Amino acid sequence: MKGEQNGEARIPRHVAIIMDGNGRWAKRRFLPRGAGHRAGMNRMIPLVEHIFTRGVKFVTLYALSTENLSRPKEELEGLFALLREYFFDCTEKLKRKGIRLKIIGERNLLPEDIALLIERGETETASGESGTLFIAVAYGSRQEIVRAANKALASAGEITAETLSEAMDTGDAPDPDLLIRTGKETRLSNFLLWQSAYTELYFSDKMFPAFENKDFDRALADYAKRNRRFGKV
Ligand code: FPP
């Protein structure tokens, strides 16, 4: 598979994170769910910075699934407001740090102003060479696979593992080496299903707003001990 790397794994090149547990974090504090998402965003920003300082080159965050789009209007509006704030405020900072921003998913399902902020963020950070930050927004992996299959067929004339990999939204990145899910659940929830065929999975009981940099380092230490065989002996 793409980006295959045999034997002892050390620093992963690509880390994906399912940022789950914002709602439960808020509920336990008698706060509205929106406060949990804000706390999630406040955790996400320094965590991403920390991850890149550890030598990781690609980070993919699951911020909003296609299915999440049917959450109650009030919660969705709160999430959209956070996305606006993030893309408005963070583009410049990412650019300064040489991080290329790329949004994966179906941005046509988002309010137009957010789609425009995304476009601006991607354009302004396009030449970043220190790392790539993928944020999955209005994203569903099955939907991505269907889109990619149609794209591969139209451009390459056939669907092979290689043409499909290249046609995925993460097409210019290696497959994730490590996928972390916070919030105690142990499933993939329609996230990077094609790309994570040989990804090492790590589940944390911590709710995302409580997932500290040192928890990430623990996941890295766990990953470093794994022997990746990619189906071989
Ligand atoms: C899942 O927790 C989390 C989300 C649906 C939203 C994630 C968003 C952020 C971390 C902040 C905003 C992101 C950006 C990119 C600005 P949940 O609500 O399903 O939690 P629960 O399982 O405890 O209910």
Side-chain angles (χ1 to χ4, degrees):
M1 254 309 102
K2 229 175 133 207
E4 186 169 324
Q5 175 195 340
N6 245 324
E8 284 289 315
R10 290 186 179 82
I11 292 290
R13 279 164 303 173
H14 185 172
V15 174
I17 306 185
I18 301 179
M19 306 185 287
D20 191 25
N22 294 346
R24 280 164 289 157
W25 180 92
K27 194 173 173 200
R28 285 173 194 175
R29 286 160 182 78
F30 306 102
L31 294 168
R33 292 180 60 82
H37 294 313
R38 175 161 291 281
M41 183 170 87
N42 290 342
R43 184 75 280 275
M44 181 190 99
I45 295 169
L47 179 65
V48 167
E49 217 174 304
H50 176 72
I51 297 174
F52 283 121
T53 66
R54 286 287 181 257
V56 173
K57 293 293 176 200
F58 298 87
V59 176
T60 303
L61 304 174
Y62 202 4
L64 195 69
S65 71
T66 323
E67 293 73 25
N68 291 155
L69 292 174
S70 45
R71 286 197 175 185
K73 194 168 180 283
E74 193 191 332
E75 179 170 353
L76 208 53
E77 282 305 326
L79 281 164
F80 287 156
L82 291 179
L83 289 173
R84 281 188 187 97
E85 199 176 311
Y86 178 78
F87 293 126
F88 194 81
D89 291 347
C90 285
T91 296
E92 191 52 41
K93 200 167 153 196
L94 292 172
K95 188 177 172 184
R96 255 186 283 122
K97 293 194 177 286
I99 305 294
R100 183 173 66 113
L101 176 69
K102 246 190 121 185
I103 304 310
I104 62 172
E106 290 168 77
R107 64 188 70 177
N108 58 310
L109 300 179
L110 298 170
E112 209 182 326
D113 66 313
I114 298 184
L116 287 172
L117 282 172
I118 286 173
E119 223 174 283
R120 191 195 72 168
E122 289 180 332
T123 309
E124 288 194 3
T125 61
S127 57
E129 288 187 348
S130 305
T132 299
L133 175 62
F134 290 108
I135 303 186
V137 186
Y139 173 88
S141 183
R142 285 182 168 179
Q143 296 87 328
E144 180 195 26
I145 293 168
V146 171
R147 265 190 288 117
N150 284 316
K151 196 168 141 194
L153 203 55
S155 64
E158 62 170 343
I159 300 171
T160 64
E162 283 69 32
T163 61
L164 191 57
S165 281
E166 275 164 26
M168 302 299 281
D169 294 351
T170 54
D172 54 359
D175 287 338
D177 301 295
L178 172 65
L179 186 150
I180 299 173
R181 180 174 186 144
T182 63
K184 221 170 173 171
E185 308 289 358
T186 49
R187 54 176 171 262
L188 290 179
S189 300
N190 205 14
F191 186 48
L192 304 180
L193 302 180
W194 171 263
Q195 297 91 326
S196 60
Y198 282 99
T199 299
E200 298 294 325
L201 307 179
Y202 182 91
F203 298 102
S204 167
D205 284 352
K206 291 219 174 164
M207 301 299 126
F208 184 70
F211 188 77
E212 296 175 52
N213 292 354
K214 66 172 191 271
D215 298 311
F216 176 78
D217 289 343
R218 234 171 254 141
L220 271 193
D222 188 89
Y223 171 84
K225 283 190 280 186
R226 300 189 190 187
N227 184 16
R228 305 185 70 195
R229 292 188 298 279
F230 299 93
K232 295 167 191 149
V233 287

